[in-house]
Amino acid sequence: MSDTFSTRTIHVSTGSAETVHDLTEACSSFLREVARGRDGLLNVFTPHATAGLALIETGAGSDDDLLTALQSLLPGDDRWQHRHGSRGHGRDHVLPALVPPHATLPVLGGRLELGTWQSVCLVDTNTDNPDRQVRLSFLTSAP
C-alpha cells in the first residue's frame, strides 16, 4: 500500500441500547501509527444502513440529548414502511439521512484537528445489531 494512504477497519460493539459511542481515541491511535507527523485527511466511514457518525460533545449530556432528539424526530413505532426487525426498526434506516455514515476530518502534524469539545462518535439506534464496523482511512500528499 502507498505511503500516502493507510486504512484500517475497527470493530465496535454497541450493545443492546441506542448509543453514541466515542471513537476519538481510536481515531487518534490510528493516526499516531500511520500519520507520523504529517498533514492530511482522516475519513471515517461506517458501512451500515442503520448507523451514522457525528461530531458532538460527549460526557456533558449532549450525547443523550442527541439520542432524545432522534427519538423525537424518528419515533420507534409502527409508522414506518420498512418493517423487519424490532418494532420501529424502519426509523433506523432513515437515521443515515440525518446523521451521515461518513466524516472527513483535517489532520495537522499527525493529529486530529478537532474543536475543543468535539468528539468523533458512532451513532447507533439499531438495537438489533450490536456489532459494527468503522473504516478509518488516512490520506496525505506527502510521503
Side-chain angles (χ1 to χ4, degrees), residues 16-28:
S16 60
E18 296 180 7
T19 190
V20 175
H21 182 89
D22 194 337
L23 299 170
T24 310
E25 180 52 39
C27 293
S28 295

Side-chain angles (χ1 to χ4, degrees), residues 23-41:
L23 299 170
T24 310
E25 180 52 39
C27 293
S28 295
S29 177
F30 172 70
L31 289 171
R32 281 192 297 274
E33 188 178 323
V34 302
R36 298 185 308 278
R38 298 175 293 172
D39 296 346
L41 296 171

Side-chain angles (χ1 to χ4, degrees), residues 6-99:
S6 299
T7 190
R8 171 173 308 143
T9 299
I10 61 172
H11 299 272
V12 177
S13 179
T14 56
S16 60
E18 296 180 7
T19 190
V20 175
H21 182 89
D22 194 337
L23 299 170
T24 310
E25 180 52 39
C27 293
S28 295
S29 177
F30 172 70
L31 289 171
R32 281 192 297 274
E33 188 178 323
V34 302
R36 298 185 308 278
R38 298 175 293 172
D39 296 346
L41 296 171
L42 176 68
N43 181 264
V44 186
F45 174 72
T46 187
H48 298 285
T50 58
L53 295 160
L55 295 180
I56 189 170
E57 178 181 7
T58 60
S62 296
D63 37 356
D64 289 332
D65 289 342
L66 174 59
L67 291 175
T68 299
L70 290 171
Q71 289 166 354
S72 177
L73 288 169
L74 304 170
D77 57 22
D78 290 330
R79 73 183 68 202
W80 308 100
Q81 293 181 40
H82 188 103
R83 291 184 182 256
H84 74 85
S86 61
R87 183 174 187 261
H89 176 64
R91 74 184 284 260
D92 302 325
H93 287 273
V94 176
L95 173 77
L98 301 175
V99 182

Side-chain angles (χ1 to χ4, degrees), residues 79-138:
R79 73 183 68 202
W80 308 100
Q81 293 181 40
H82 188 103
R83 291 184 182 256
H84 74 85
S86 61
R87 183 174 187 261
H89 176 64
R91 74 184 284 260
D92 302 325
H93 287 273
V94 176
L95 173 77
L98 301 175
V99 182
H102 58 85
T104 301
L105 307 167
V107 176
L108 299 176
R111 296 174 52 118
L112 197 53
E113 189 69 14
L114 294 174
T116 303
W117 303 111
Q118 287 180 317
S119 295
V120 182
C121 297
L122 175 68
V123 179
D124 189 1
T125 59
N126 181 2
T127 60
D128 292 339
N129 182 3
D131 300 313
R132 298 304 190 161
Q133 296 176 13
V134 177
R135 178 166 293 282
L136 307 176
S137 300
F138 175 67

